[in-house]
Amino acid sequence: MATTTSAARRAAVPPPHEPERRVRRLALRQRVGRWDVRLSPYLYISPFFVVFAIAGLFPIAYTAYVSVFDWNLIGGQGAFVGLRNYVDVIQQPRFLTALRNTFSIFALSSVPQIVAAIAIAAVLDANLRAKTFWRMGVLLPYVVAPVAVSLIFSKMFADQSGMINALLGGVGIEPIRWHSDVLASHVAIATMVNFRWTGYNVLIFLAAMQAVPRDLYEAAVIDGAGRLRRFFSVTVPMLRPTIVFVVITSTIGGLQIFDEPRMFDQLGMGGADRQWMTVTMYLYELGWGAQKSFGRASAVAWILFLIIIAIGLVNFALTRRIASTGSAPKGKKR
């Protein structure tokens, strides 16, 4: 009996190292818990950055590498030339023409597009019958393939048998040379861009308008403000961040325009005198045209990238200025 009792007591007493093991396990669990809280958010968002690094950053870096070599489409990598490709591209009159055309089409498309999108969104935000039908209707042009839109509008803006010139002739206006005059061709291409992208921006502005507190409109009505005054005094100021976002996205897309001017005629060269050739079309002509110079084409791509970055920085400064203007000064009440 005594032997059995002493053995039971020894079994009930924990080993001398068991408390230390428990402390170590508890510390390890706490450490793993802290790592989980700190690192798990980065793990959840890592797939996007991995895909972005493969499909976004790597092509940009590789394009910069190609731009400093005499790289041919058929012959492959040649000698290292440094910045000579950039100098050669900037000195080409055709590049300056493409840059002028790009900014001209961008200005003719983005400004009317944003103004029209805000106006249409304001109408759709009102109490209309069949709201869903009209809101889906403005998005239909965005669903249509850009090649189809370009083909249709190129026929509408034909110089000889186009529908637009036929309508103008019916009211006594001389036919416009849409494919010959520089400004006319830019207006026609900008019309394509506006047709396709206005509805997309309408939905963005509509979502922002629906997020505006209705108390502001009720207070404006009590103060005696009419519908037009409420739009300019309440709606537009509340849309300032959204307007900046749309301006930035429109700038990026407008400077990279390719499909519409490419399909504006059957040749796809930007006109006989390159009167509507954009920078991306010039890039395509350098890389896959007669020269087949990947080095110069990569230089054009990087020049366009730097232009977009510069305009993006200007938009960022504008965003900060708008944000500081919309906030109340310190030490003062609203």
Side-chain angles (χ1 to χ4, degrees):
M1 290 293 295
T3 305
T4 304
T5 304
S6 60
R9 289 178 179 177
R10 286 195 301 269
V13 176
H17 300 290
E18 186 65 23
E20 297 180 1
R21 293 177 181 177
R22 292 180 179 178
V23 172
R24 293 176 181 176
R25 291 175 184 174
L26 181 60
L28 180 61
R29 290 178 182 177
Q30 293 177 350
R31 192 177 306 169
V32 171
R34 288 194 298 266
W35 288 347
D36 178 61
V37 173
R38 293 180 180 179
L39 300 180
S40 59
Y42 300 98
L43 181 63
Y44 299 148
I45 64 176
S46 60
F48 166 78
F49 289 98
V50 171
V51 174
F52 176 72
I54 297 174
L57 294 180
F58 174 74
I60 294 175
Y62 190 71
T63 303
Y65 173 77
V66 174
S67 66
V68 295
F69 285 91
D70 186 12
W71 202 299
N72 188 269
L73 175 62
I74 299 176
Q77 181 178 352
F80 177 80
V81 295
L83 299 178
R84 193 181 71 186
N85 288 329
Y86 293 88
V87 176
D88 292 342
V89 165
I90 294 175
Q91 291 178 349
Q92 293 295 323
R94 190 164 290 182
F95 170 74
L96 299 179
T97 302
L99 195 63
R100 179 207 64 184
N101 296 338
T102 301
F103 278 97
S104 176
I105 297 173
F106 162 70
L108 291 173
S109 60
S110 295
V111 177
Q113 181 184 138
I114 294 175
V115 174
I118 295 176
I120 297 173
V123 174
L124 294 178
D125 192 38
N127 293 325
L128 297 176
R129 294 182 180 180
K131 290 183 178 180
T132 304
F133 171 78
W134 296 112
R135 292 173 182 176
M136 291 297 296
V138 298
L139 195 61
L140 287 179
Y142 175 73
V143 181
V144 181
V147 175
V149 174
S150 302
L151 290 175
I152 294 172
F153 274 82
S154 63
K155 299 301 181 182
M156 292 175 58
F157 287 98
D159 294 347
Q160 301 299 329
S161 59
M163 186 185 71
I164 304 299
N165 278 341
L167 295 176
L168 294 177
V171 296
I173 300 177
E174 293 292 330
I176 299 176
R177 301 187 302 171
W178 299 106
H179 289 76
S180 300
D181 295 339
V182 176
L183 182 59
S185 62
H186 293 181
V187 171
I189 296 173
T191 305
M192 303 181 200
V193 178
N194 293 334
F195 171 79
R196 185 166 181 263
W197 289 98
T198 300
Y200 175 81
N201 291 326
V202 165
L203 294 185
I204 296 178
F205 285 121
L206 179 61
M209 289 180 183
Q210 292 179 341
V212 177
R214 298 300 165 180
D215 297 341
L216 299 177
Y217 292 108
E218 295 176 359
V221 171
I222 294 174
D223 292 338
R227 180 173 297 179
L228 191 61
R229 182 62 182 273
R230 293 198 300 269
F231 176 76
F232 285 103
S233 299
V234 178
T235 305
V236 174
M238 297 298 294
L239 291 180
R240 284 181 295 187
T242 307
I243 292 174
V244 172
F245 169 76
V246 173
V247 168
I248 294 175
T249 55
S250 299
T251 301
I252 296 174
L255 296 180
Q256 295 178 345
I257 184 172
F258 179 80
D259 296 332
E260 290 83 359
R262 174 75 176 176
M263 300 299 298
F264 190 54
D265 65 351
Q266 296 179 355
L267 299 178
M269 301 300 294
D273 296 328
R274 304 299 191 269
Q275 58 265 29
W276 69 80
M277 182 182 66
T278 60
V279 175
T280 52
M281 293 179 64
Y282 180 64
L283 184 154
Y284 182 84
E285 181 178 327
L286 285 178
W288 287 268
Q291 300 186 32
K292 294 180 175 55
S293 176
F294 268 20
R296 293 184 179 181
S298 300
V300 174
W302 255 86
I303 291 174
L304 181 60
F305 173 71
L306 295 177
I307 291 174
I308 294 175
I309 291 296
I311 297 178
L313 293 176
V314 173
N315 289 329
F316 176 73
L318 179 63
T319 305
R320 293 186 60 183
R321 183 175 180 180
I322 290 176
S324 61
T325 303
S327 60
K330 295 182 179 180
K332 295 183 180 181
K333 296 181 179 180
R334 285 181 175 265

